[in-house]
Amino acid sequence: MQHIVAFPILFPLFSALLLLLPPCGKNIKVRRIASVSFSIIALAINLSLLVQVCNLGTLTYAIGNWQAPFGIVLHADLFAVTLTSLAAFLTLCCVLFSCAGDDARGSFFHPLVQFLLMGVSGAFLTGDLFNLFVFFEVLLIASYSLLMHAADKHNTRGALHYVILNLVGSAVFLIALGTIYGVIGSLNIQDVAVRITQLADDDIYLAMIGGSLLLIVFALKAALLPLHMWLPNTYSNAMPVVAALFAIMTKVGIYSIIRVYNSIFSADSGPLGAMGQNILWYAALATIVVGTMGVLASKDMRKLVANLIVVSAGTLIALASMQQMQATAAAIYYLIHSTLVCAALFLCVDLIASQRGKVADRITTGRPVKQGLLIGLVFFVSALAVVGMPPLSGFIGKIWILKATYQQGEYALFWPVYLVSSLLLLVGVTRAGSIVFWQNTPTDADKMDVKPAHRAKIYAVYILAAVSPLMVIFAKPISDFCLQAAMQIHPVTTVAPLTGGL
Amino acid sequence: MELLYSVCVGVLVSCGVFLILRARSFPIVLGLTMLSYAVNLFLFASGRLTINKAAILSANDQYADPLPQALVLTAIVIGFAMTAFSVILSIRARADLGNDYVNQQTNNKIGVKK
């Protein structure tokens, strides 16, 4: 079954098309059942690909059997397939959550989600820079439409900002690709990595321009300072279930940085080795600081969670910029954890907002959450996990990150920034949680009209939040797995201190 | 030829950037279109500019690089879809917000003469 490598991309494509056709297109019940079952099958396909990659090592699939430098290849290594599985799992949970009624508030929710999954999986699997651009566009156009799903007047401006910013980003991406192709003569990532070492004279500077532009585009997608401004507004404008899905989208940018900067601009790739490392490192630290301030300043829960995503993006890029095996392994562990926990928090915020009447998700005194215990428990677990308190997965991720930076000798700057930001995050999240759940003005009258949350919503949130304790219980095999995946990205262990150019 | 070509790309990019910075949705759509034209021309030039050469491998080794042409085709199709979407979104924003300003409006409207 060599073709299974292409299935994580092809299957969502066909399921999206099927969801548009009758009988799924006509009947909402059929559509929901079909969508959930397609998502389960997509997850199963991804997991079986993961098993294959574990057993056989990295799989390379030439689309249409056109061989590597001429055709487009899909490159399925452990890291890529882990992330496609993560995306499929997140999609399943969000689809399940939306079946409680959010999907019927606009049109084409389920097909768009499948198109988004297709774009995300494609971006993770592809081994070709131009193909990466194409899949970025696939996931972006799906995300534009999802952002406007069930949107009212107030959301339009946020959506417009997001669309314009990303269209400019796409233009810059294409210019970067044109420059790289013009100077190197190839767009296959592995081929570029080989050829970039043979450049001489002025070509080096051209390649540097191309690489820097590429870095800017990825930083925009990953919400790195100063290109992170769009994220809090966009995510808090979207419906929470859509925002939860978007939690994987910043990770696409981070994945691209890890992939491209560890193969094309790795420490031993000649004159351009470790390009832009210093800039990434300091920008990542600044992102952590600004994200933390955003969390403290947030007036509603959605903004708060969106800023938590900014902090996690900063942490991940700091790890990526070190270009070290331990750091990448820690980044993979932290990436899985932070995606799922942030998604759980977004869904949790939706439940809170729907049960507090007019106050919705604003962090002020209001009427109590009706199912306080049920929702409070999941919020408590996710909040502790996202801040990194023991005994949840955030804590293990945090220890690993601290250890990786210690081994690199980068702790003098990173540790204070990271630890103080964690403390402030704890303060911010605890404050929000205690105000929302405990500081209430209960009146008997308004308790009546709130319906308890739909079962599908509760299941989806609990499944997502349960991953964090599971990642602690199975910490040993998961961390071994992350190390293995990181070893495939860094085939030779090279010592790369932060002496990068630029 | 190279000079004329690069001047064209440069002028298109600067017009595009200028229009995008106008911060009103219809100039922005126009600016994005111009920017994508410039990008397409730039991509096309990345295979080097040549005259009288076919874009296919033939018996003699005189051929133009076919890959940038394929890239440009893809970029045009994607750019077209994106432009269509941004036009629709701009119309929706015009209807929803009552004006075509992209930025948050305060009381003193920027660029509006009394």
Side-chain angles (χ1 to χ4, degrees):
Chain A
M1 273 300 277
Q2 52 161 336
H3 300 295
I4 195 174
V5 181
F7 282 10
I9 303 169
L10 292 179
F11 187 77
L13 174 66
F14 284 114
S15 45
L17 294 178
L18 286 177
L19 283 169
L20 285 170
L21 297 174
C24 304
K26 286 269 184 207
N27 188 331
I28 184 87
K29 272 199 181 135
V30 179
R31 187 157 66 229
R32 281 174 184 163
I33 294 169
S35 184
V36 171
S37 27
F38 284 145
S39 307
I40 292 173
I41 298 171
L43 181 62
I45 288 174
N46 277 299
L47 289 178
S48 61
L49 178 59
L50 189 62
V51 171
Q52 280 218 357
V53 173
C54 282
N55 292 336
L56 304 174
T58 307
L59 299 174
T60 309
Y61 178 77
I63 295 173
N65 210 13
W66 286 84
Q67 287 312 312
F70 305 108
I72 292 168
V73 291
L74 297 181
H75 189 79
D77 64 357
L78 275 180
F79 186 28
V81 180
T82 309
L83 289 188
T84 53
S85 312
L86 179 70
F89 178 69
L90 184 63
T91 308
L92 174 62
C93 292
C94 290
V95 165
L96 189 64
F97 188 91
S98 74
C99 285
D102 284 345
D103 56 347
R105 289 170 56 194
S107 29
F108 306 122
F109 180 84
H110 292 294
L112 285 170
V113 168
Q114 298 294 334
F115 278 126
L116 187 71
L117 177 62
M118 174 201 168
V120 170
S121 307
F124 286 145
L125 283 175
T126 187
D128 183 277
L129 284 173
F130 194 81
N131 203 228
L132 182 65
F133 165 76
V134 173
F135 280 119
F136 262 117
E137 295 303 302
V138 172
L139 76 91
L140 281 176
I141 200 151
S143 76
Y144 300 156
S145 319
L146 280 175
L147 192 58
M148 290 299 286
H149 181 78
D152 56 10
K153 276 183 175 183
H154 313 287
N155 310 119
T156 315
R157 187 164 268 144
L160 198 60
H161 286 176
Y162 175 72
V163 171
I164 292 168
L165 205 62
N166 276 299
L167 286 178
V168 175
S170 304
V172 177
F173 199 164
L174 280 175
I175 292 174
L177 293 182
T179 317
I180 288 178
Y181 183 76
V183 69
I184 294 174
S186 174
L187 286 172
N188 183 293
I189 294 180
Q190 284 172 328
D191 201 27
V192 171
V194 173
R195 292 199 197 184
I196 204 164
T197 54
Q198 300 154 0
L199 292 180
D201 306 334
D202 295 347
D203 285 353
I204 292 175
Y205 294 100
L206 279 174
M208 187 187 259
I209 292 170
S212 313
L213 286 173
L214 212 54
L215 176 67
I216 290 171
V217 178
F218 293 154
L220 173 71
K221 312 282 176 201
L224 184 70
L225 196 91
L227 300 170
H228 75 290
M229 307 284 186
W230 58 273
L231 193 141
N233 268 331
T234 308
Y235 280 40
S236 55
N237 267 326
M239 266 170 58
V241 59
V242 174
L245 256 182
F246 282 9
I248 194 80
M249 279 189 7
T250 52
K251 275 45 178 194
V252 177
I254 291 162
Y255 169 83
S256 309
I257 289 181
I258 293 180
R259 171 68 72 213
V260 168
Y261 281 80
N262 282 311
S263 52
I264 299 183
F265 303 110
S266 68
D268 47 4
S269 61
L272 288 175
M275 187 189 86
Q277 209 174 33
N278 280 331
I279 292 181
L280 273 183
W281 171 253
Y282 289 111
L285 289 182
T287 310
I288 297 176
V289 173
V290 171
T292 310
M293 292 199 280
V295 168
L296 288 180
S298 301
K299 285 188 180 138
D300 56 59
M301 300 281 277
R302 280 194 275 181
K303 274 250 164 67
L304 184 131
V305 184
N307 279 305
L308 285 173
I309 289 187
V310 174
V311 176
S312 75
T315 313
L316 283 167
I317 292 173
L319 288 174
S321 77
M322 284 195 278
Q323 300 196 345
Q324 274 298 306
M325 201 189 77
Q326 279 290 340
T328 309
I332 296 171
Y333 187 91
Y334 187 80
L335 198 158
I336 301 172
H337 142 83
S338 76
T339 308
L340 295 176
V341 168
C342 288
L345 276 174
F346 266 123
L347 297 185
C348 196
V349 168
D350 183 60
L351 292 178
I352 292 171
S354 64
Q355 301 198 349
R356 289 182 80 215
K358 271 186 189 166
V359 196
D361 61 338
R362 266 170 287 158
I363 306 173
T364 64
T365 311
R367 67 189 198 194
V369 180
K370 188 170 184 192
Q371 292 169 303
L373 191 64
L374 199 63
I375 301 169
L377 182 68
V378 71
F379 179 80
F380 178 71
V381 169
S382 319
L384 282 190
V386 80
V387 176
M389 295 300 284
L392 292 162
S393 59
F395 181 66
I396 292 180
K398 194 195 253 175
I399 293 291
W400 202 352
I401 289 168
L402 293 178
K403 198 177 139 205
T405 43
Y406 183 75
Q407 283 169 346
Q408 279 299 295
E410 295 301 334
Y411 55 92
L413 186 60
F414 187 79
W415 281 32
V417 171
Y418 189 60
L419 291 176
V420 170
S421 109
S422 298
L423 178 66
L424 293 178
L425 288 186
L426 184 63
V427 172
V429 174
T430 330
R431 179 180 145 268
S434 49
I435 289 177
V436 165
F437 284 102
W438 290 335
Q439 222 175 76
N440 302 316
T441 48
T443 47
D444 292 332
D446 54 22
K447 252 191 171 178
M448 301 304 209
D449 57 337
V450 176
K451 274 184 276 178
H454 194 282
R455 271 203 318 257
K457 289 191 171 185
I458 299 287
Y459 288 146
V461 175
Y462 268 82
I463 292 171
L464 274 177
V467 172
S468 180
L470 285 178
M471 279 182 77
V472 177
I473 295 170
F474 299 103
K476 177 71 180 159
I478 293 177
S479 56
D480 284 347
F481 176 81
C482 293
L483 269 175
Q484 222 182 335
M487 235 168 335
Q488 292 186 348
I489 301 172
H490 305 272
V492 195
T493 6
T494 46
V495 182
L498 285 175
T499 52
L502 267 187
Chain B
M1 182 170 65
E2 277 82 1
L3 183 68
L4 182 65
Y5 200 92
S6 50
V7 167
C8 282
V9 173
V11 167
L12 276 173
V13 169
S14 45
C15 291
V17 170
F18 176 77
L19 284 172
I20 288 170
L21 293 180
R22 298 278 293 167
R24 301 180 70 156
S25 51
F26 286 94
I28 283 179
V29 171
L30 269 183
L32 286 172
T33 317
M34 288 209 171
L35 198 60
S36 73
Y37 285 164
V39 164
N40 291 339
L41 286 174
F42 182 83
L43 266 186
F44 189 72
S46 69
R48 303 295 182 271
L49 299 171
T50 49
I51 289 175
N52 287 337
K53 286 181 186 169
I56 38 173
L57 294 169
S58 51
N60 55 348
D61 45 311
Q62 294 272 310
Y63 64 91
D65 193 345
L67 192 75
Q69 309 190 7
L71 300 188
V72 168
L73 266 180
T74 317
I76 289 173
V77 174
I78 291 174
F80 188 69
M82 292 298 170
T83 311
F85 187 87
S86 56
V87 167
I88 294 296
L89 189 64
S90 306
I91 293 172
R92 164 108 189 237
R94 174 69 184 79
D96 282 354
L97 305 171
N99 58 47
D100 65 345
Y101 290 100
V102 173
N103 288 331
Q104 209 79 41
Q105 275 303 290
T106 48
N107 285 330
N108 47 343
K109 288 186 176 174
I110 309 154
V112 174
K113 283 173 190 164
K114 285 185 180 170

